[in-house]
Amino acid sequence: MNDLSYLDDNGYYDADSCILYEYKNYNILRIDNDLSFRALAIKVYKNKIVDIYIFFNRPEGFKVLSKFLAKYGQFTDRPNDYLDIYNWNCSKVKLSLKYQLDLDLGIAVFTCKSIEQEIEMKRKKQLQQVLLTNN
């Protein structure tokens, strides 16, 4: 656990009862001789990983896309033809890769779909309780 630190410097839970950590082992951020990532963050809910965020320099975006295509195959959708956003939607995990020209950083986000659904159900229950309380 020495490689993890709170990303927001206070360790507080967010609105979804999640905590964000930054992974501080920079040796794992080098992929090969011509590609390395800038940072790795992990979003945790009830001691389970919800999201893994991988940040990279925007000019590395095409290299990252090439690696992802080789590793994960053709993306399942591209929401906008004018932005560099690519999504892979699998049965248990979804992956989103974004490296827009107007941003300095690109990001890849791996999301555990079952934990994401658990969080969404919790949100819906909280909303229902608020609505019942206000009636």
Side-chain angles (χ1 to χ4, degrees), residues 14 17 20 28 32 46 64 66 90 93 97 101 108 110 119:
D14 68 8
S17 301
L20 279 171
I28 68 155
D32 55 32
K46 293 184 177 179
V64 175
S66 296
C90 304
V93 175
L97 175 64
L101 292 176
F110 294 82
I119 293 169

Side-chain angles (χ1 to χ4, degrees), residues 1-5 22-30 37-42:
M1 287 302 272
N2 291 339
D3 293 340
L4 288 178
S5 65
E22 180 179 5
Y23 194 70
K24 296 275 190 178
N25 183 338
Y26 297 106
N27 293 326
I28 68 155
L29 298 177
R30 177 162 292 293
F37 296 123
R38 284 186 55 183
L40 182 113
I42 301 167

Side-chain angles (χ1 to χ4, degrees), residues 38-127:
R38 284 186 55 183
L40 182 113
I42 301 167
K43 183 177 181 179
V44 176
Y45 175 74
K46 293 184 177 179
N47 296 320
K48 296 179 259 179
I49 296 175
V50 181
D51 296 311
I52 299 172
Y53 305 94
I54 301 172
F55 299 94
F56 55 90
N57 293 324
R58 184 193 44 81
E60 303 289 328
F62 186 74
K63 289 180 189 176
V64 175
L65 175 61
S66 296
K67 298 276 185 194
F68 280 27
L69 289 170
K71 179 77 175 173
Y72 306 113
Q74 184 64 29
F75 49 87
T76 55
D77 73 280
R78 188 168 177 203
N80 186 323
D81 290 337
Y82 302 104
L83 299 174
D84 291 318
I85 301 173
Y86 305 88
N87 296 317
W88 287 260
N89 195 4
C90 304
S91 60
K92 295 184 181 186
V93 175
K94 67 180 175 182
L95 167 60
S96 183
L97 175 64
K98 303 172 188 173
Y99 57 99
Q100 297 167 239
L101 292 176
D102 57 340
L103 302 175
D104 289 337
L105 286 177
I107 185 171
V109 182
F110 294 82
T111 302
C112 177
K113 292 169 84 172
S114 64
I115 300 172
E116 183 181 55
Q117 289 171 349
E118 185 178 339
I119 293 169
E120 185 60 32
M121 292 295 288
K122 178 185 171 194
R123 277 190 216 133
K124 287 179 182 179
K125 284 181 183 178
Q126 288 173 334
L127 179 59

